[in-house]
Amino acid sequence: MQFGVFSVGDVTMDPTTGRTPTESERIKAMVTIALKAEEVGLDVFATGEHHNPPFVPSSPTTMLGYIAARTERLILSTSTTLITTNDPVKIAEDYAMLQHLADGRVDLMLGRGNTGPVYPWFGQDIRQGIPLAIENYALLHRLWREDVVDWEGRFRTPLQGFTSTPRPLDGVPPFVWHGSIRSPEIAEQAAYYGDGFFANNIFWPKDHFIKLITLYRQRYAHYGHGTPEQAIVGLGGQVFMRKNSQDAVREFRPYFDNAPVYGHGPALEDFMAETPLTVGSPQQVIDRTLTFREYFGDYQRQLFLMDHAGLPLKTVLEQLDLLGEEVVPVLRREFAKDRPDSVPDAPTHASRTAAQPSAV
């Protein structure tokens, strides 16, 4: 399994001090978090893509390219690449370029995004979100696999004899996860192509995500890619830790209560009971995360959200120390126990390149 962190890149006031970081501070904090993730032994750093305040990561490839130059083994991913409002030609070229610069340490998670006004900013209609996601990825998939593409669709100008450059590294496109919070159509899309499916696993009860992942696994098998157990699944999660669970709850509560997404809503204890949010000791995080396999089956990637809601960088780095030193080593060991040999490992560029048919 792969373990890592993902960031939405929000610029939020620290409710305990009243201070809001500058955009520059927040961008550089995300870089520091990525470097720390590699230092503590994590596998993946993923950034979101947003084009509206209070978020800063509008150009994931710029950030990930910079991080690639400062890391050696960390897999660089997006936690959303907007397949609806980005031109698939630009996605194909930008991420192939990043793939070369990072020596293959790149994958991406495609999603529709959850901010309605973004659509008209990029000349699109939010009511066409699902059709855009389906058509744009169909083109992106071909651009990475065919040297010359002729194409015509509903949402962009036709292509005649077009070659996307650079071509994917070693002839192997970046691995694609299709991310969804609520849409069965996206689970179906991931299954159709034999790609990965990433369930946000943050804001909703587990039963909601069980339905999406079960659908994906069943349709993955239906399309002939393997058994349901061989489907490639990733999960999100949200944690805050201190050595003592009471200290964790006490410290995190003001951040939860004022968070842009769920602040001024349910009580922290209710949210923890109804969603995968875990606030407590490292052992509590381990115990809760291990239950994910009971609900969703053996899976390939676990990413944690740890740097949002105004948490200061110092605190986030402390969280990463706990995650890397006390949590992930135990999770690696426990998730490996009784894992069937038929369940595939998390995909990497090296493993996917090795699996390519040899040239005659």
Side-chain angles (χ1 to χ4, degrees), residues 124-162:
Q124 302 296 348
D125 182 346
I126 191 172
R127 294 170 294 183
Q128 299 297 323
I130 292 290
L132 276 164
I134 293 170
E135 181 178 295
N136 283 354
Y137 183 60
L139 175 55
L140 175 61
H141 191 268
R142 289 186 58 192
L143 289 168
W144 274 336
R145 289 165 175 82
E146 300 176 28
D147 288 339
V148 180
V149 173
D150 294 317
W151 180 89
E152 185 171 352
R154 292 174 55 195
F155 298 110
R156 77 172 318 279
T157 53
L159 298 173
Q160 295 181 345
F162 180 77

mmCIF file of all heavy atoms in Angstrom, residues 124-162:
data_model
loop_
_atom_site.group_PDB
_atom_site.id
_atom_site.type_symbol
_atom_site.label_atom_id
_atom_site.label_comp_id
_atom_site.label_asym_id
_atom_site.label_seq_id
_atom_site.Cartn_x
_atom_site.Cartn_y
_atom_site.Cartn_z
ATOM 1 N N GLN A 124 -17.552 27.008 -19.408
ATOM 2 C CA GLN A 124 -18.324 25.775 -19.383
ATOM 3 C C GLN A 124 -19.602 25.948 -18.564
ATOM 4 O O GLN A 124 -19.755 26.915 -17.818
ATOM 5 C CB GLN A 124 -17.494 24.625 -18.829
ATOM 6 C CG GLN A 124 -16.213 24.331 -19.592
ATOM 7 C CD GLN A 124 -16.467 23.853 -21.018
ATOM 8 O OE1 GLN A 124 -17.600 23.528 -21.390
ATOM 9 N NE2 GLN A 124 -15.417 23.831 -21.830
ATOM 10 N N ASP A 125 -20.477 24.968 -18.673
ATOM 11 C CA ASP A 125 -21.789 24.985 -18.017
ATOM 12 C C ASP A 125 -21.805 23.886 -16.972
ATOM 13 O O ASP A 125 -21.629 22.705 -17.302
ATOM 14 C CB ASP A 125 -22.881 24.757 -19.069
ATOM 15 C CG ASP A 125 -24.292 24.804 -18.495
ATOM 16 O OD1 ASP A 125 -24.458 24.757 -17.258
ATOM 17 O OD2 ASP A 125 -25.243 24.861 -19.298
ATOM 18 N N ILE A 126 -22.006 24.238 -15.702
ATOM 19 C CA ILE A 126 -21.979 23.241 -14.633
ATOM 20 C C ILE A 126 -23.032 22.155 -14.846
ATOM 21 O O ILE A 126 -22.861 21.017 -14.401
ATOM 22 C CB ILE A 126 -22.165 23.917 -13.254
ATOM 23 C CG1 ILE A 126 -21.851 22.910 -12.137
ATOM 24 C CG2 ILE A 126 -23.567 24.500 -13.114
ATOM 25 C CD1 ILE A 126 -21.823 23.528 -10.757
ATOM 26 N N ARG A 127 -24.097 22.476 -15.554
ATOM 27 C CA ARG A 127 -25.126 21.465 -15.811
ATOM 28 C C ARG A 127 -24.619 20.361 -16.728
ATOM 29 O O ARG A 127 -25.231 19.298 -16.829
ATOM 30 C CB ARG A 127 -26.370 22.139 -16.404
ATOM 31 C CG ARG A 127 -27.075 23.082 -15.433
ATOM 32 C CD ARG A 127 -28.135 23.905 -16.128
ATOM 33 N NE ARG A 127 -27.548 24.830 -17.100
ATOM 34 C CZ ARG A 127 -28.233 25.707 -17.811
ATOM 35 N NH1 ARG A 127 -29.552 25.797 -17.657
ATOM 36 N NH2 ARG A 127 -27.633 26.498 -18.679
ATOM 37 N N GLN A 128 -23.494 20.593 -17.372
ATOM 38 C CA GLN A 128 -22.878 19.585 -18.242
ATOM 39 C C GLN A 128 -21.689 18.893 -17.557
ATOM 40 O O GLN A 128 -20.841 18.306 -18.230
ATOM 41 C CB GLN A 128 -22.398 20.251 -19.548
ATOM 42 C CG GLN A 128 -23.499 20.893 -20.342
ATOM 43 C CD GLN A 128 -24.525 19.874 -20.820
ATOM 44 O OE1 GLN A 128 -24.179 18.763 -21.176
ATOM 45 N NE2 GLN A 128 -25.794 20.273 -20.808
ATOM 46 N N GLY A 129 -21.634 18.959 -16.225
ATOM 47 C CA GLY A 129 -20.469 18.450 -15.505
ATOM 48 C C GLY A 129 -20.141 17.000 -15.825
ATOM 49 O O GLY A 129 -18.984 16.659 -16.129
ATOM 50 N N ILE A 130 -21.128 16.115 -15.753
ATOM 51 C CA ILE A 130 -20.872 14.699 -16.021
ATOM 52 C C ILE A 130 -20.516 14.461 -17.489
ATOM 53 O O ILE A 130 -19.512 13.795 -17.787
ATOM 54 C CB ILE A 130 -22.069 13.837 -15.588
ATOM 55 C CG1 ILE A 130 -22.222 13.851 -14.052
ATOM 56 C CG2 ILE A 130 -21.913 12.405 -16.095
ATOM 57 C CD1 ILE A 130 -21.129 13.119 -13.310
ATOM 58 N N PRO A 131 -21.294 14.985 -18.454
ATOM 59 C CA PRO A 131 -20.894 14.799 -19.861
ATOM 60 C C PRO A 131 -19.502 15.360 -20.171
ATOM 61 O O PRO A 131 -18.743 14.759 -20.941
ATOM 62 C CB PRO A 131 -21.980 15.544 -20.644
ATOM 63 C CG PRO A 131 -23.176 15.506 -19.750
ATOM 64 C CD PRO A 131 -22.634 15.619 -18.355
ATOM 65 N N LEU A 132 -19.147 16.494 -19.557
ATOM 66 C CA LEU A 132 -17.798 17.043 -19.754
ATOM 67 C C LEU A 132 -16.738 16.086 -19.225
ATOM 68 O O LEU A 132 -15.712 15.845 -19.881
ATOM 69 C CB LEU A 132 -17.672 18.394 -19.039
ATOM 70 C CG LEU A 132 -18.161 19.635 -19.780
ATOM 71 C CD1 LEU A 132 -18.339 20.790 -18.806
ATOM 72 C CD2 LEU A 132 -17.180 20.014 -20.885
ATOM 73 N N ALA A 133 -16.966 15.552 -18.033
ATOM 74 C CA ALA A 133 -15.998 14.631 -17.445
ATOM 75 C C ALA A 133 -15.810 13.401 -18.324
ATOM 76 O O ALA A 133 -14.684 12.914 -18.510
ATOM 77 C CB ALA A 133 -16.447 14.222 -16.039
ATOM 78 N N ILE A 134 -16.891 12.885 -18.877
ATOM 79 C CA ILE A 134 -16.815 11.672 -19.697
ATOM 80 C C ILE A 134 -16.125 11.954 -21.029
ATOM 81 O O ILE A 134 -15.202 11.224 -21.435
ATOM 82 C CB ILE A 134 -18.231 11.107 -19.915
ATOM 83 C CG1 ILE A 134 -18.788 10.603 -18.583
ATOM 84 C CG2 ILE A 134 -18.217 9.989 -20.954
ATOM 85 C CD1 ILE A 134 -20.252 10.239 -18.617
ATOM 86 N N GLU A 135 -16.542 13.012 -21.704
ATOM 87 C CA GLU A 135 -15.958 13.304 -23.016
ATOM 88 C C GLU A 135 -14.499 13.742 -22.911
ATOM 89 O O GLU A 135 -13.646 13.291 -23.689
ATOM 90 C CB GLU A 135 -16.769 14.381 -23.731
ATOM 91 C CG GLU A 135 -16.212 14.707 -25.117
ATOM 92 C CD GLU A 135 -17.029 15.739 -25.864
ATOM 93 O OE1 GLU A 135 -18.205 15.431 -26.176
ATOM 94 O OE2 GLU A 135 -16.492 16.829 -26.140
ATOM 95 N N ASN A 136 -14.205 14.616 -21.965
ATOM 96 C CA ASN A 136 -12.839 15.119 -21.863
ATOM 97 C C ASN A 136 -11.856 14.007 -21.512
ATOM 98 O O ASN A 136 -10.724 13.980 -22.014
ATOM 99 C CB ASN A 136 -12.755 16.235 -20.830
ATOM 100 C CG ASN A 136 -13.290 17.551 -21.353
ATOM 101 O OD1 ASN A 136 -13.632 17.664 -22.529
ATOM 102 N ND2 ASN A 136 -13.362 18.554 -20.494
ATOM 103 N N TYR A 137 -12.279 13.083 -20.653
ATOM 104 C CA TYR A 137 -11.337 12.005 -20.333
ATOM 105 C C TYR A 137 -11.187 11.032 -21.501
ATOM 106 O O TYR A 137 -10.099 10.492 -21.721
ATOM 107 C CB TYR A 137 -11.741 11.242 -19.077
ATOM 108 C CG TYR A 137 -10.685 10.184 -18.757
ATOM 109 C CD1 TYR A 137 -9.366 10.574 -18.495
ATOM 110 C CD2 TYR A 137 -10.982 8.829 -18.767
ATOM 111 C CE1 TYR A 137 -8.376 9.634 -18.245
ATOM 112 C CE2 TYR A 137 -10.004 7.885 -18.510
ATOM 113 C CZ TYR A 137 -8.698 8.291 -18.255
ATOM 114 O OH TYR A 137 -7.720 7.359 -18.016
ATOM 115 N N ALA A 138 -12.247 10.817 -22.253
ATOM 116 C CA ALA A 138 -12.118 9.952 -23.423
ATOM 117 C C ALA A 138 -11.046 10.490 -24.366
ATOM 118 O O ALA A 138 -10.244 9.721 -24.930
ATOM 119 C CB ALA A 138 -13.464 9.832 -24.142
ATOM 120 N N LEU A 139 -11.001 11.809 -24.523
ATOM 121 C CA LEU A 139 -9.968 12.413 -25.359
ATOM 122 C C LEU A 139 -8.604 12.319 -24.697
ATOM 123 O O LEU A 139 -7.615 11.948 -25.354
ATOM 124 C CB LEU A 139 -10.324 13.866 -25.658
ATOM 125 C CG LEU A 139 -9.276 14.670 -26.436
ATOM 126 C CD1 LEU A 139 -8.904 13.989 -27.742
ATOM 127 C CD2 LEU A 139 -9.769 16.102 -26.673
ATOM 128 N N LEU A 140 -8.511 12.658 -23.436
ATOM 129 C CA LEU A 140 -7.223 12.587 -22.730
ATOM 130 C C LEU A 140 -6.640 11.172 -22.812
ATOM 131 O O LEU A 140 -5.438 10.997 -23.061
ATOM 132 C CB LEU A 140 -7.416 12.994 -21.268
ATOM 133 C CG LEU A 140 -6.202 12.866 -20.350
ATOM 134 C CD1 LEU A 140 -5.050 13.742 -20.834
ATOM 135 C CD2 LEU A 140 -6.584 13.223 -18.907
ATOM 136 N N HIS A 141 -7.472 10.183 -22.607
ATOM 137 C CA HIS A 141 -7.017 8.787 -22.656
ATOM 138 C C HIS A 141 -6.393 8.472 -24.013
ATOM 139 O O HIS A 141 -5.337 7.818 -24.097
ATOM 140 C CB HIS A 141 -8.217 7.875 -22.381
ATOM 141 C CG HIS A 141 -7.862 6.447 -22.135
ATOM 142 N ND1 HIS A 141 -7.813 5.515 -23.153
ATOM 143 C CD2 HIS A 141 -7.534 5.785 -20.998
ATOM 144 C CE1 HIS A 141 -7.485 4.337 -22.653
ATOM 145 N NE2 HIS A 141 -7.304 4.472 -21.352
ATOM 146 N N ARG A 142 -7.000 8.943 -25.081
ATOM 147 C CA ARG A 142 -6.456 8.692 -26.419
ATOM 148 C C ARG A 142 -5.174 9.488 -26.669
ATOM 149 O O ARG A 142 -4.228 8.984 -27.294
ATOM 150 C CB ARG A 142 -7.500 9.049 -27.475
ATOM 151 C CG ARG A 142 -8.681 8.086 -27.543
ATOM 152 C CD ARG A 142 -9.588 8.439 -28.710
ATOM 153 N NE ARG A 142 -8.868 8.404 -29.984
ATOM 154 C CZ ARG A 142 -9.337 8.883 -31.138
ATOM 155 N NH1 ARG A 142 -10.539 9.450 -31.164
ATOM 156 N NH2 ARG A 142 -8.618 8.803 -32.245
ATOM 157 N N LEU A 143 -5.136 10.730 -26.213
ATOM 158 C CA LEU A 143 -3.966 11.573 -26.469
ATOM 159 C C LEU A 143 -2.698 10.968 -25.903
ATOM 160 O O LEU A 143 -1.602 11.151 -26.458
ATOM 161 C CB LEU A 143 -4.186 12.966 -25.870
ATOM 162 C CG LEU A 143 -5.215 13.849 -26.569
ATOM 163 C CD1 LEU A 143 -5.535 15.065 -25.722
ATOM 164 C CD2 LEU A 143 -4.722 14.267 -27.953
ATOM 165 N N TRP A 144 -2.817 10.263 -24.777
ATOM 166 C CA TRP A 144 -1.646 9.642 -24.161
ATOM 167 C C TRP A 144 -1.282 8.299 -24.781
ATOM 168 O O TRP A 144 -0.198 7.792 -24.561
ATOM 169 C CB TRP A 144 -1.895 9.453 -22.670
ATOM 170 C CG TRP A 144 -1.551 10.663 -21.848
ATOM 171 C CD1 TRP A 144 -0.684 11.656 -22.160
ATOM 172 C CD2 TRP A 144 -2.064 10.976 -20.555
ATOM 173 N NE1 TRP A 144 -0.620 12.588 -21.150
ATOM 174 C CE2 TRP A 144 -1.464 12.186 -20.142
ATOM 175 C CE3 TRP A 144 -2.973 10.351 -19.698
ATOM 176 C CZ2 TRP A 144 -1.730 12.789 -18.918
ATOM 177 C CZ3 TRP A 144 -3.249 10.947 -18.483
ATOM 178 C CH2 TRP A 144 -2.633 12.149 -18.092
ATOM 179 N N ARG A 145 -2.180 7.719 -25.552
ATOM 180 C CA ARG A 145 -1.952 6.360 -26.062
ATOM 181 C C ARG A 145 -1.843 6.275 -27.576
ATOM 182 O O ARG A 145 -1.437 5.230 -28.093
ATOM 183 C CB ARG A 145 -3.082 5.443 -25.551
ATOM 184 C CG ARG A 145 -2.975 5.181 -24.066
ATOM 185 C CD ARG A 145 -4.242 4.603 -23.470
ATOM 186 N NE ARG A 145 -4.035 4.264 -22.075
ATOM 187 C CZ ARG A 145 -4.095 5.152 -21.066
ATOM 188 N NH1 ARG A 145 -4.376 6.424 -21.333
ATOM 189 N NH2 ARG A 145 -3.879 4.778 -19.823
ATOM 190 N N GLU A 146 -2.211 7.326 -28.271
ATOM 191 C CA GLU A 146 -2.135 7.336 -29.733
ATOM 192 C C GLU A 146 -1.233 8.480 -30.172
ATOM 193 O O GLU A 146 -1.397 9.617 -29.733
ATOM 194 C CB GLU A 146 -3.531 7.509 -30.334
ATOM 195 C CG GLU A 146 -4.512 6.404 -29.937
ATOM 196 C CD GLU A 146 -5.909 6.664 -30.462
ATOM 197 O OE1 GLU A 146 -6.034 7.345 -31.513
ATOM 198 O OE2 GLU A 146 -6.883 6.209 -29.826
ATOM 199 N N ASP A 147 -0.300 8.172 -31.046
ATOM 200 C CA ASP A 147 0.648 9.193 -31.485
ATOM 201 C C ASP A 147 -0.020 10.271 -32.335
ATOM 202 O O ASP A 147 0.403 11.431 -32.322
ATOM 203 C CB ASP A 147 1.786 8.544 -32.271
ATOM 204 C CG ASP A 147 2.730 7.754 -31.373
ATOM 205 O OD1 ASP A 147 2.751 8.028 -30.155
ATOM 206 O OD2 ASP A 147 3.431 6.870 -31.892
ATOM 207 N N VAL A 148 -1.030 9.887 -33.093
ATOM 208 C CA VAL A 148 -1.748 10.846 -33.937
ATOM 209 C C VAL A 148 -3.245 10.657 -33.693
ATOM 210 O O VAL A 148 -3.757 9.541 -33.809
ATOM 211 C CB VAL A 148 -1.426 10.645 -35.429
ATOM 212 C CG1 VAL A 148 -2.189 11.666 -36.275
ATOM 213 C CG2 VAL A 148 0.074 10.760 -35.677
ATOM 214 N N VAL A 149 -3.932 11.746 -33.342
ATOM 215 C CA VAL A 149 -5.333 11.668 -32.946
ATOM 216 C C VAL A 149 -6.194 12.534 -33.858
ATOM 217 O O VAL A 149 -5.908 13.722 -34.064
ATOM 218 C CB VAL A 149 -5.518 12.114 -31.478
ATOM 219 C CG1 VAL A 149 -6.997 12.198 -31.117
ATOM 220 C CG2 VAL A 149 -4.788 11.163 -30.537
ATOM 221 N N ASP A 150 -7.238 11.915 -34.408
ATOM 222 C CA ASP A 150 -8.334 12.642 -35.051
ATOM 223 C C ASP A 150 -9.531 12.521 -34.116
ATOM 224 O O ASP A 150 -9.903 11.423 -33.702
ATOM 225 C CB ASP A 150 -8.672 12.030 -36.412
ATOM 226 C CG ASP A 150 -7.554 12.188 -37.416
ATOM 227 O OD1 ASP A 150 -6.963 13.274 -37.494
ATOM 228 O OD2 ASP A 150 -7.250 11.196 -38.113
ATOM 229 N N TRP A 151 -10.166 13.649 -33.821
ATOM 230 C CA TRP A 151 -11.214 13.605 -32.787
ATOM 231 C C TRP A 151 -12.211 14.747 -32.991
ATOM 232 O O TRP A 151 -11.844 15.850 -33.391
ATOM 233 C CB TRP A 151 -10.571 13.726 -31.398
ATOM 234 C CG TRP A 151 -11.555 13.686 -30.270
ATOM 235 C CD1 TRP A 151 -12.014 12.582 -29.609
ATOM 236 C CD2 TRP A 151 -12.198 14.806 -29.670
ATOM 237 N NE1 TRP A 151 -12.913 12.951 -28.645
ATOM 238 C CE2 TRP A 151 -13.044 14.311 -28.651
ATOM 239 C CE3 TRP A 151 -12.148 16.176 -29.893
ATOM 240 C CZ2 TRP A 151 -13.831 15.139 -27.872
ATOM 241 C CZ3 TRP A 151 -12.929 17.009 -29.120
ATOM 242 C CH2 TRP A 151 -13.758 16.487 -28.109
ATOM 243 N N GLU A 152 -13.468 14.451 -32.681
ATOM 244 C CA GLU A 152 -14.497 15.487 -32.709
ATOM 245 C C GLU A 152 -15.512 15.180 -31.621
ATOM 246 O O GLU A 152 -15.932 14.028 -31.460
ATOM 247 C CB GLU A 152 -15.192 15.529 -34.066
ATOM 248 C CG GLU A 152 -16.196 16.679 -34.189
ATOM 249 C CD GLU A 152 -16.709 16.844 -35.604
ATOM 250 O OE1 GLU A 152 -16.175 16.173 -36.510
ATOM 251 O OE2 GLU A 152 -17.651 17.643 -35.797
ATOM 252 N N GLY A 153 -15.893 16.210 -30.839
ATOM 253 C CA GLY A 153 -16.845 16.027 -29.758
ATOM 254 C C GLY A 153 -17.741 17.242 -29.606
ATOM 255 O O GLY A 153 -17.804 18.111 -30.493
ATOM 256 N N ARG A 154 -18.399 17.327 -28.453
ATOM 257 C CA ARG A 154 -19.370 18.402 -28.213
ATOM 258 C C ARG A 154 -18.744 19.668 -27.636
ATOM 259 O O ARG A 154 -19.260 20.766 -27.842
ATOM 260 C CB ARG A 154 -20.446 17.928 -27.229
ATOM 261 C CG ARG A 154 -21.369 16.859 -27.746
ATOM 262 C CD ARG A 154 -22.282 16.369 -26.632
ATOM 263 N NE ARG A 154 -23.032 17.467 -25.999
ATOM 264 C CZ ARG A 154 -23.668 17.347 -24.831
ATOM 265 N NH1 ARG A 154 -23.645 16.188 -24.173
ATOM 266 N NH2 ARG A 154 -24.326 18.381 -24.332
ATOM 267 N N PHE A 155 -17.652 19.523 -26.874
ATOM 268 C CA PHE A 155 -17.253 20.609 -25.984
ATOM 269 C C PHE A 155 -15.959 21.327 -26.371
ATOM 270 O O PHE A 155 -15.568 22.251 -25.681
ATOM 271 C CB PHE A 155 -17.121 20.074 -24.550
ATOM 272 C CG PHE A 155 -18.419 19.535 -23.993
ATOM 273 C CD1 PHE A 155 -18.589 18.169 -23.779
ATOM 274 C CD2 PHE A 155 -19.476 20.381 -23.712
ATOM 275 C CE1 PHE A 155 -19.771 17.667 -23.268
ATOM 276 C CE2 PHE A 155 -20.670 19.893 -23.206
ATOM 277 C CZ PHE A 155 -20.822 18.529 -22.983
ATOM 278 N N ARG A 156 -15.286 20.915 -27.407
ATOM 279 C CA ARG A 156 -14.098 21.651 -27.848
ATOM 280 C C ARG A 156 -13.969 21.508 -29.361
ATOM 281 O O ARG A 156 -14.641 20.695 -29.983
ATOM 282 C CB ARG A 156 -12.830 21.181 -27.132
ATOM 283 C CG ARG A 156 -12.297 19.863 -27.654
ATOM 284 C CD ARG A 156 -10.936 19.431 -27.111
ATOM 285 N NE ARG A 156 -9.939 20.459 -27.007
ATOM 286 C CZ ARG A 156 -9.193 20.906 -28.022
ATOM 287 N NH1 ARG A 156 -9.389 20.440 -29.247
ATOM 288 N NH2 ARG A 156 -8.277 21.830 -27.831
ATOM 289 N N THR A 157 -13.084 22.300 -29.916
ATOM 290 C CA THR A 157 -12.868 22.230 -31.363
ATOM 291 C C THR A 157 -12.278 20.879 -31.746
ATOM 292 O O THR A 157 -11.572 20.250 -30.950
ATOM 293 C CB THR A 157 -11.918 23.354 -31.813
ATOM 294 O OG1 THR A 157 -10.731 23.304 -31.011
ATOM 295 C CG2 THR A 157 -12.570 24.716 -31.644
ATOM 296 N N PRO A 158 -12.538 20.420 -32.975
ATOM 297 C CA PRO A 158 -12.014 19.117 -33.411
ATOM 298 C C PRO A 158 -10.493 19.123 -33.506
ATOM 299 O O PRO A 158 -9.842 20.172 -33.588
ATOM 300 C CB PRO A 158 -12.652 18.925 -34.791
ATOM 301 C CG PRO A 158 -13.819 19.853 -34.827
ATOM 302 C CD PRO A 158 -13.438 21.017 -33.972
ATOM 303 N N LEU A 159 -9.932 17.929 -33.506
ATOM 304 C CA LEU A 159 -8.497 17.729 -33.704
ATOM 305 C C LEU A 159 -8.303 16.893 -34.964
ATOM 306 O O LEU A 159 -9.009 15.902 -35.180
ATOM 307 C CB LEU A 159 -7.864 16.998 -32.515
ATOM 308 C CG LEU A 159 -7.918 17.690 -31.152
ATOM 309 C CD1 LEU A 159 -7.413 16.756 -30.062
ATOM 310 C CD2 LEU A 159 -7.116 18.982 -31.170
ATOM 311 N N GLN A 160 -7.333 17.309 -35.784
ATOM 312 C CA GLN A 160 -7.014 16.553 -36.988
ATOM 313 C C GLN A 160 -5.518 16.314 -37.033
ATOM 314 O O GLN A 160 -4.729 17.256 -37.052
ATOM 315 C CB GLN A 160 -7.474 17.308 -38.241
ATOM 316 C CG GLN A 160 -8.989 17.473 -38.344
ATOM 317 C CD GLN A 160 -9.398 18.203 -39.613
ATOM 318 O OE1 GLN A 160 -8.581 18.820 -40.275
ATOM 319 N NE2 GLN A 160 -10.676 18.121 -39.946
ATOM 320 N N GLY A 161 -5.132 15.050 -37.012
ATOM 321 C CA GLY A 161 -3.718 14.694 -37.083
ATOM 322 C C GLY A 161 -2.899 15.291 -35.958
ATOM 323 O O GLY A 161 -1.747 15.685 -36.169
ATOM 324 N N PHE A 162 -3.468 15.335 -34.757
ATOM 325 C CA PHE A 162 -2.804 16.019 -33.635
ATOM 326 C C PHE A 162 -1.945 15.056 -32.832
ATOM 327 O O PHE A 162 -2.363 13.935 -32.518
ATOM 328 C CB PHE A 162 -3.844 16.650 -32.707
ATOM 329 C CG PHE A 162 -3.242 17.361 -31.529
ATOM 330 C CD1 PHE A 162 -2.658 18.616 -31.683
ATOM 331 C CD2 PHE A 162 -3.206 16.764 -30.279
ATOM 332 C CE1 PHE A 162 -2.086 19.270 -30.615
ATOM 333 C CE2 PHE A 162 -2.634 17.414 -29.199
ATOM 334 C CZ PHE A 162 -2.073 18.674 -29.360
#
